[in-house]
Amino acid sequence: MAPERCSCTCRVYFVVDNRYAKQLVQELVGLFKQYNLVGGSVCVNISNPVNVCNERMGRFVKGAVGDYDLIVVLVDSEGVDPSVVRKRIFEEHVGQVDGSSSRVEILIAHPCLEAWLCEAMGIAGCYSGTCGEVVDAIISRYKGKYEKKTLKRMLPTLMVKELSRKLGDYPEAMRSKGSKDELVRVLPSQLGELVREVNAHCVEQQCKS
């Protein structure tokens, strides 16, 4: 008889501000599970894209608090000081939701999601310039293979490719639970923070045979 499949032991809900972020989260969660960075029984759902200035963001958070172990609000800073963006999200969408203080993590990609790919590629200054400068640096590293208008669409694929290459350098034995911290350090800094947050809220359980 085939072993019983793991059911969800931990549920994570992402509130995102653009459709590329939604696809990127889907791809990254699959990669994290593949390399045992998060438990295979972690289940993820993702909101429809919603802008920071839209009151629906607060409704998404409120609707998820009772059903999810962790809610991650993931947005681009669009060049604004991340602390200012985080404060706005908390004050307008999170702070008034009962039970949200311990379950909501606000993750600001500064200046944009492309900065994560930039860091994964080993490019310097990924978080100090504008999004346009980050994109230009990535395009230059790829020797003009991609144009600006196509890079964002390709972001999930390129991110997974770069991270798979780095994580794949570790032998299978190193991908055990005991070596998780070492593999997390390979990730771009904010993705490492994300993995640690998921694992802090999710207690992995074994499937019963």
Side-chain angles (χ1 to χ4, degrees), residues 27-40 159-187 195 199 204:
E27 296 286 349
L28 288 175
V29 170
L31 185 71
F32 293 163
K33 289 184 177 184
Q34 177 184 346
Y35 287 95
N36 196 36
L37 298 179
V38 300
M159 178 71 77
V160 168
K161 180 179 179 180
E162 290 293 334
L163 294 182
S164 295
R165 179 178 58 81
K166 286 191 170 187
L167 292 169
D169 287 341
Y170 286 81
E172 188 68 31
M174 292 288 290
R175 302 174 197 167
S176 65
K177 185 176 181 181
S179 303
K180 186 180 296 184
D181 289 345
E182 185 169 351
L183 267 68
V184 169
R185 286 194 287 270
V186 172
L187 303 175
V195 168
N199 289 326
E204 185 175 354

Side-chain angles (χ1 to χ4, degrees), residues 31-183:
L31 185 71
F32 293 163
K33 289 184 177 184
Q34 177 184 346
Y35 287 95
N36 196 36
L37 298 179
V38 300
S41 53
V42 172
C43 295
V44 169
N45 284 315
I46 309 168
S47 75
N48 290 324
V50 58
N51 195 279
V52 171
C53 64
N54 193 314
E55 63 180 16
R56 286 193 306 137
M57 179 173 282
R59 293 204 295 269
F60 284 150
V61 172
K62 184 177 181 178
V65 164
D67 296 322
Y68 290 85
D69 300 280
L70 174 65
I71 299 101
V72 180
V73 180
L74 171 60
V75 302
D76 285 358
S77 74
E78 298 182 352
V80 179
D81 185 333
S83 64
V84 173
V85 180
R86 182 175 288 104
K87 181 180 179 182
R88 179 179 182 182
I89 292 172
F90 181 82
E91 291 181 346
E92 296 184 9
H93 304 299
V94 177
Q96 305 304 315
V97 178
D98 291 340
S100 65
S101 59
S102 63
R103 293 193 179 191
V104 178
E105 174 71 13
I106 301 171
L107 191 59
I108 312 297
H110 179 72
C112 53
L113 288 170
E114 286 86 346
W116 295 355
L117 175 60
C118 177
E119 184 181 353
M121 295 174 68
I123 301 172
C126 299
Y127 300 103
S128 58
T130 65
C131 188
E133 290 169 339
V134 170
V135 170
D136 286 342
I138 294 171
I139 291 174
S140 176
R141 179 63 64 89
Y142 279 121
K143 301 184 185 303
K145 184 177 180 180
Y146 302 102
E147 299 179 356
K148 284 187 176 182
K149 62 183 179 180
T150 60
L151 185 64
K152 186 174 285 291
R153 175 173 54 82
M154 292 294 297
L155 178 62
T157 300
L158 296 174
M159 178 71 77
V160 168
K161 180 179 179 180
E162 290 293 334
L163 294 182
S164 295
R165 179 178 58 81
K166 286 191 170 187
L167 292 169
D169 287 341
Y170 286 81
E172 188 68 31
M174 292 288 290
R175 302 174 197 167
S176 65
K177 185 176 181 181
S179 303
K180 186 180 296 184
D181 289 345
E182 185 169 351
L183 267 68

